[in-house]
Structure formats: structure tokens, C-alpha cells
Amino acid sequence: MTIKTALENEIELLQQAAAGDANAFARLYNHYRSLVYRFIYKYLKSAQLTDDLTQEIFIKVWENKAALTDRQAFKSYLFTISRNHTFNFLKRAAIDTNAKSIILNNYTRPDSLEEDLQTKDYMEYLQSILATLTPQSREVFRLCRQEYKSYEEAAEILGISRSAVKKHMIKSMKTLGDAVKRDLGIPLGIFLAYMVR
């Protein structure tokens, strides 16, 4: 995320907002809202949900406005809150069938360079996790998850039993699931849904 132009007197506005000046906070909101919105939209692909979370994030910042005087890097602070709030929502969405349905139904192929780059980042992350697996587990994952082969087809290609393919997939999915939860804070299902847009 980059800001096209710096916000004039941002430190002063932060101090005023911390003191309860709603007008100063409104200027910060107007400047940063679209950046936060675009960041969240990459994950949710739903204008309605993104609007809701964007509002919730700025409400949270306003409720903790006293801390703004200590924020020399407000943009980083704001995006940390945005990331955490979005990932927490995704965790809840994995349980809430309705929210999960909205998110998954709105996923489409990337339609911008920025989204292409994010998908590339996720692919690189996926490859880094797969690199920790044994060569045969990696090959089983590639055939079954990336080439959509059945367990029987993968077994025939690799010259191993179907049960061996299943064991490799269980091990691979557990390794990937643990890594995604640890590093990204989201369920594996959401990560995989994003990967196959």
C-alpha cells in the first residue's frame, strides 16, 4: 500500500484527534479510508462486508484515540489493526456459514496487477511451506490439489497405493493448515479458496 500524497500536518491531526477533536479525526478518516477499504476488499471480495469492517476499524481507532499521540507511524498502526480485524473476521466466518458463503461466492479471478501480485505472494508462501515436505508428499500434493487428480490417478502415476496417497495428503494438509493458522491467522479452507480463485 502506498499513499499518493502525504497528509499535511498529520502529526498535528493525530494529536488533535487524540484530544477528542472529531474534525481532525474525520480528516484522517477521509485520507485513509480508501486504502483500508482496498486492503480489506482483497480478502473479502464483498463490498458490503468490506464497508462494515472498514467502519468497525475506524470506530476501534476512535475508541482508542488517546493512543494516537504515541503513533509516529499511523499508517502502519492502522494497517496492523486492519489486518488483525480482517483475519479475526475470517476466523469467525469459518464458523458462520452465512458469512463464509458471502466471502466464497465473491471470489473471482484477479482483475488488477495489485491482486495478481498478492496472489503471487500467496503462491510463493505456499511453495515455501511445500518445500518442507518430503519430495513424494510434494508430488502427491501437486497432483491432487494443483492438477486435481483423484487419489487413484495419483497412485497410478506415482506407482504407489491409494492409501499411501491419502496418507501423504493428510500429512501435507496438516502441515499447510498448521502453517497458515500460525503465520496468517486464518483457516486453511479460506486460504485454499483464495488460492483457487
Side-chain angles (χ1 to χ4, degrees):
M1 285 290 166
T2 57
I3 295 181
K4 294 175 183 175
T5 56
L7 181 60
E8 192 175 343
N9 301 324
E10 182 169 323
I11 297 298
E12 185 179 335
L13 288 172
L14 287 167
Q15 292 170 345
Q16 291 169 351
D21 185 333
N23 289 330
F25 186 78
R27 286 187 61 192
L28 292 165
Y29 170 83
N30 290 333
H31 185 73
Y32 284 104
R33 182 193 178 282
S34 63
L35 293 171
V36 171
Y37 182 96
R38 289 200 302 272
F39 173 81
I40 298 170
Y41 189 82
K42 289 180 188 176
Y43 294 96
L44 303 187
K45 301 298 178 187
S46 162
Q48 177 190 347
L49 292 176
T50 301
D51 270 331
D52 290 346
L53 261 68
T54 300
Q55 293 299 322
E56 289 170 11
I57 286 161
F58 279 99
I59 288 170
K60 184 178 286 191
V61 172
W62 176 249
E63 288 173 347
N64 294 288
K65 59 185 175 291
L68 294 178
T69 53
D70 297 327
R71 304 294 176 187
Q72 293 300 310
F74 178 64
K75 186 177 77 164
S76 297
Y77 167 64
L78 187 59
F79 279 108
T80 297
I81 292 176
S82 300
R83 184 192 65 228
N84 293 342
H85 195 69
T86 302
F87 285 173
N88 285 336
F89 174 81
L90 288 170
K91 289 178 193 175
R92 295 194 306 272
I95 300 169
D96 183 334
T97 307
N98 185 45
K100 185 175 182 180
S101 175
I102 292 172
I103 292 169
L104 295 181
N105 285 339
N106 281 286
Y107 273 107
T108 57
R109 291 297 307 162
D111 56 5
S112 73
L113 176 60
E114 189 173 16
E115 289 187 31
D116 279 331
L117 290 173
Q118 186 180 21
T119 301
K120 183 182 175 197
D121 288 343
Y122 275 104
M123 283 301 298
E124 288 174 357
Y125 173 77
L126 174 63
Q127 294 306 318
S128 73
I129 300 304
L130 295 180
T132 67
L133 301 173
T134 64
Q136 190 154 56
S137 289
R138 279 200 305 276
E139 188 62 10
V140 167
F141 185 92
R142 184 183 68 78
L143 290 169
C144 295
R145 288 296 311 190
Q146 296 175 307
E147 294 191 8
Y148 307 105
K149 304 285 187 191
S150 67
Y151 284 4
E152 289 79 7
E153 289 172 323
E156 187 175 343
I157 291 169
L158 297 173
I160 59 177
S161 68
R162 183 190 185 281
S163 63
V165 169
K166 184 177 179 182
K167 285 179 185 175
H168 280 294
M169 278 304 295
I170 290 171
K171 178 183 175 184
S172 300
M173 295 302 277
K174 183 180 187 317
T175 299
L176 183 58
D178 290 346
V180 168
K181 186 174 181 181
R182 180 190 67 237
D183 300 334
L184 305 179
I186 60 175
L188 179 59
I190 296 291
F191 177 81
L192 292 175
Y194 187 85
M195 295 303 302
V196 298
R197 291 181 304 158

